[in-house]
């Protein structure tokens, strides 16, 4: 038996076994008042430290191996953060205004920016706070003379409070067997890098640094989301066999990734990928994804200034060219009322999750919206692109958007610029009002995409980041399943497609339920696409429909889980433990 088992959230699937290496992230913050004569010296030290970090990151970028070239842009974005005026200029202003040392000013700036992100509901944007922390910590290290030494000699399980992609690369990716962190999520850049490197990783391990011991053997089970500290011989023997079998299974799904996703009874679902920026395009086609079911456009807006139309046209054109001839669905800007975009005019809201976000933000700040629409229309003139609106709550928002699109087209025509004449317009179903009015909304758009992450949040009235109510985060709650049926049926009644782009699309149990409900398309992080297609090939859509009809008669989530647990054994057989994210797997080890 292991000394201790710690639980967290699996962000990159797999099994790893090895010695633990602690990378301490706790820093002693210097809080020193300065006199006016020292202000210039502290500012210079801050600027010099930021440039040292940029230089070091540049060296790390140049050492990224060929197999990971697509992740260079992630590290390049961190280089840009090192001179972002919202960090550097804000910290310099604090030095001057408050007469405090550079590290103190930098820390206050970091906390302010991270607090802004914490109020944003989208987990992808929340995870950008980790990027800010990472770069600020590195600048602080440069200020204090701390070093980042590369170690490629010893293979180990790396444990830390948080890690940035640059940390992983500098510590030597060939020497990292697995990653364990307190902070971070599935959309963090470190998670994306870990999945690309196929390094098992778990985040959200609250007691990690208090309980872990340097050098002790650790088993990282990033299928179930747990780490076994100091496992005994029986644990090691069992997991070594399990790891070998899992790797064989994973290789099987990789080699079959480009095969059809048709079920045993001939129903073929389109399986696309969710992408957040250009860095992920390099492995898209090898994943077997049929296009991009969700392209998050927020990344371009997270720098020190709003992107111009030219930059957006270049970005979207690149995405379309590298995905052709498959479809790309661009989700319009989905941000909350955070001050990072327009610090002078966006209000500080008491409850951003219920405030000015998604389409509400775009319809209020139309200049920003029109620039993005112009870019999408121009980039899509000769391609299979579509546009998707987030956070729709009613018919009026769709009508208003269509009017703006018509106006933008007239502008482009008058300017003699080529643009897409007929760009399909879809909507995200993620609010209760959109579910209840889905029969109305289906007549106003060309497709539905169900964002199950937010839908669960709003329908069950929970904050999934609040550990006190995390147990209520049940995507297979009867209310969720009935809502999904309502939306899918409404779409089909108006002859439009319905897809799911949330986490439920990569959960084996979720796939069974969605297939049984008649979903048309699934979209998930491309790391999970091969496994999703593999699962679909093992299922019978008719049997899944029968199962869902029975599920719809059940009254609570425990009954749903019990029925699904038995069904999953029949559907997937002995390979069931190799699929991550299933509640059945988590349950068996709790």
């Amino acid at each position: 038996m292991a000394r201790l088992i710690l639980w967290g959230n699996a962000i990159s699937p797999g099994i790893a076994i090895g010695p633990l290496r602690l990378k301490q992230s706790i820093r002693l913050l210097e809080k020193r008042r300065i006199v006016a004569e020292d202000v210039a010296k502290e500012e210079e030290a801050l600027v010099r430290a930021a440039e040292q970090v940029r230089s070091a990151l540049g060296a790390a970028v140049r050492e990224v191996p060929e197999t990971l070239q697509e992740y260079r842009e992630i590290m390049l974005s961190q280089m840009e953060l090192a001179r972002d005026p919202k960090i550097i200029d804000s910290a310099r202003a604090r030095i001057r205004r408050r007469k405090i040392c550079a590290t103190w000013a930098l820390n206050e700036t970091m906390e302010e920016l991270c607090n802004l992100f914490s109020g944003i509901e989208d987990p992808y944007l929340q995870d950008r706070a980790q990027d800010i922390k990472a770069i600020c910590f590195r600048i602080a290290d440069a200020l204090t003379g701390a070093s980042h030494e590369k170690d490629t000699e010893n293979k180990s399980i790396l444990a830390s409070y948080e890690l940035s992609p640059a940390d992983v690369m500098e510590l030597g990716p060939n020497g990292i067997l697995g990653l364990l962190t307190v902070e971070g999520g599935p959309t963090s850049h470190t998670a994306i890098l870990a999945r690309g490197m196929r390094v098992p990783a778990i985040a959200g391990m609250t007691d990690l640094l208090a309980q872990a011991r340097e050098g002790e053997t650790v088993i990282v089970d990033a299928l179930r989301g747990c780490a076994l500290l100091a496992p005994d011989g029986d644990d090691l023997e069992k997991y070594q066999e399990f790891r070998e079998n899992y790797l064989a299974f994973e290789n099987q799904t990789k080699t079959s990734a480009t095969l059809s996703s048709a079920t045993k009874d001939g129903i073929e679902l389109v399986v696309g990928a969710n992408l957040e920026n250009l860095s992920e395009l390099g492995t898209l086609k090898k994943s077997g994804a049929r296009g991009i079911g969700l392209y998050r456009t927020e990344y371009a807006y997270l720098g020190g200034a709003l992107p111009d139309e030219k930059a957006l046209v270049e970005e979207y054109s690149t995405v379309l060219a590298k995905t052709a001839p498959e479809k790309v669905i661009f989700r319009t800007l989905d941000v909350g009322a955070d001050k990072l975009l327009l610090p002078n005019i966006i209000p500080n809201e008491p409850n951003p999750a219920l405030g000015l976000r998604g389409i509400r933000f775009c319809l209020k700040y139309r200049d920003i919206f029109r620039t993005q629409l112009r870019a999408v229309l121009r980039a899509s003139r000769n391609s299979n692109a579509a546009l998707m609106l987030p956070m729709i709550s009613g018919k009026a928002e769709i009508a208003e958007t269509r009017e703006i699109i018509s106006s933008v087209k007239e502008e482009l025509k008058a300017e003699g610029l080529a643009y897409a004449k007929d760009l399909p317009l879809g909507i995200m179903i993620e609010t209760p009002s959109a579910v209840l009015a889905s029969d109305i909304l289906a007549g106003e758009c060309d497709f539905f995409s169900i964002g199950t992450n937010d839908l669960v949040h709003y329908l069950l009235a929970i904050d999934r980041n609040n550990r006190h109510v995390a147990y209520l985060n049940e995507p297979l709650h009867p209310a969720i399943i009935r809502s999904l049926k309502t939306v899918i049926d409404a779409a089909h009644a108006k002859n439009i497609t319905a897809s799911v782009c949330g986490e439920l699309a990569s959960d084996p149990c979720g796939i069974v339920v969605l297939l049984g409900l008649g979903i048309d398309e699934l979209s998930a992080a491309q790391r999970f696409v091969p496994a999703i297609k593999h699962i679909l090939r093992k299922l019978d859509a008719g049997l899944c429909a029968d199962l869902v009809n029975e599920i719809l008669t059940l009254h609570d989530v425990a009954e749903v889980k019990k029925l699904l647990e038995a069904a999953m054994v029949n559907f997937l057989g002995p390979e069931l433990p190799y699929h991550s994210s299933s509640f059945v797997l988590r349950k068996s080890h709790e």
Side-chain angles (χ1 to χ4, degrees), residues 388-403:
M388 184 163 66
L389 309 177
M391 199 64 178
I392 291 292
S393 59
K395 175 180 175 179
E397 292 159 333
I398 304 173
E400 208 170 338
T401 299
R402 286 196 182 278
E403 289 179 4

Side-chain angles (χ1 to χ4, degrees), residues 139-260:
I139 295 172
D141 285 347
L143 280 166
T144 58
S147 64
H148 290 260
E149 296 182 359
K150 188 166 184 175
D151 181 4
T152 59
E153 298 297 322
N154 302 305
K155 293 187 175 184
S156 58
I157 307 294
L158 188 62
S160 181
Y161 186 79
E162 78 272 295
L163 290 166
S164 73
D167 290 330
V168 175
M169 298 307 298
E170 284 192 340
L171 288 165
N174 294 327
I176 296 176
L177 299 172
L179 299 173
L180 301 173
T181 64
V182 177
E183 297 250 344
T187 56
S188 69
H189 282 153
T190 301
I192 294 167
L193 180 60
R195 291 194 289 267
M197 294 166 56
R198 298 190 176 273
V199 170
I202 305 174
M205 307 194 80
T206 306
D207 296 327
L208 176 64
L209 298 182
Q211 299 293 344
R213 298 172 184 172
E214 179 79 25
E216 73 177 342
T217 299
V218 175
I219 296 173
V220 177
D221 184 344
L223 295 174
R224 297 165 181 82
C226 65
L228 286 70
L229 307 185
D232 63 16
D234 289 341
D235 289 327
L236 288 170
E237 183 178 354
K238 180 181 71 172
Y239 266 99
Q240 283 165 353
E241 181 181 0
F242 184 32
R243 181 177 180 274
E244 290 175 6
N245 292 338
Y246 171 74
L247 290 174
F249 162 77
E250 190 178 46
N251 286 332
Q252 179 188 351
T253 62
K254 283 169 60 180
T255 56
S256 61
T258 57
L259 297 179
S260 164

Side-chain angles (χ1 to χ4, degrees), residues 234-455:
D234 289 341
D235 289 327
L236 288 170
E237 183 178 354
K238 180 181 71 172
Y239 266 99
Q240 283 165 353
E241 181 181 0
F242 184 32
R243 181 177 180 274
E244 290 175 6
N245 292 338
Y246 171 74
L247 290 174
F249 162 77
E250 190 178 46
N251 286 332
Q252 179 188 351
T253 62
K254 283 169 60 180
T255 56
S256 61
T258 57
L259 297 179
S260 164
S261 59
T263 62
K264 288 182 176 180
D265 51 347
I267 302 300
E268 183 160 11
L269 271 64
V270 173
V271 181
N274 298 342
L275 268 68
E276 67 176 52
N277 59 50
L278 300 177
S279 67
E280 297 180 275
L281 286 169
T283 53
L284 179 64
K285 293 189 177 180
K286 285 200 303 184
S287 74
R290 283 181 55 187
I292 300 174
L294 167 63
Y295 186 80
R296 298 180 175 96
T297 60
E298 291 76 35
Y299 190 80
Y301 293 81
L302 300 182
L306 292 171
D308 59 24
E309 183 178 325
K310 179 182 177 183
L312 293 178
V313 171
E314 290 177 357
E315 177 187 350
Y316 302 158
S317 296
T318 300
V319 173
L320 290 164
K322 292 192 175 183
T323 310
E326 300 292 351
K327 177 175 62 177
V328 177
I329 298 177
F330 292 99
R331 184 180 68 183
T332 57
L333 187 58
D334 187 12
V335 293
D338 61 287
K339 299 174 183 177
L340 294 176
L341 291 175
L342 296 172
N344 296 323
I345 61 174
I346 294 182
N348 186 12
E349 296 183 299
N351 193 344
L354 299 177
L356 197 63
R357 57 167 298 201
I359 193 62
R360 305 169 184 180
F361 175 93
C362 290
L363 292 177
K364 181 173 178 63
Y365 297 102
R366 295 199 177 194
D367 287 346
I368 296 174
F369 195 26
R370 291 177 74 91
T371 297
Q372 182 175 41
L373 291 175
R374 282 174 60 95
V376 173
L377 286 165
R378 289 180 60 191
S380 307
R381 60 190 180 277
N382 298 314
S383 60
N384 189 21
L387 197 65
M388 184 163 66
L389 309 177
M391 199 64 178
I392 291 292
S393 59
K395 175 180 175 179
E397 292 159 333
I398 304 173
E400 208 170 338
T401 299
R402 286 196 182 278
E403 289 179 4
I404 297 172
I405 291 174
S406 295
S407 172
V408 167
K409 286 180 176 179
E410 289 298 319
E411 283 181 0
L412 294 172
K413 183 178 179 181
E415 295 169 23
L417 296 172
Y419 62 92
K421 302 298 189 293
D422 298 303
L423 190 66
L425 182 66
I427 64 170
M428 294 280 290
I429 302 291
E430 48 195 339
T431 66
S433 62
V435 172
L436 294 173
S438 55
D439 57 331
I440 298 171
L441 300 178
E444 303 299 320
C445 62
D446 301 304
F447 62 91
F448 282 166
S449 184
I450 307 169
T452 52
N453 298 353
D454 275 345
L455 187 60

Side-chain angles (χ1 to χ4, degrees), residues 462-479:
I462 61 163
D463 177 359
R464 56 182 173 267
N465 296 311
N466 184 334
R467 60 186 175 86
H468 299 295
V469 294
Y471 70 96
L472 293 171
N473 185 23
E474 294 285 5
L476 297 175
H477 189 290

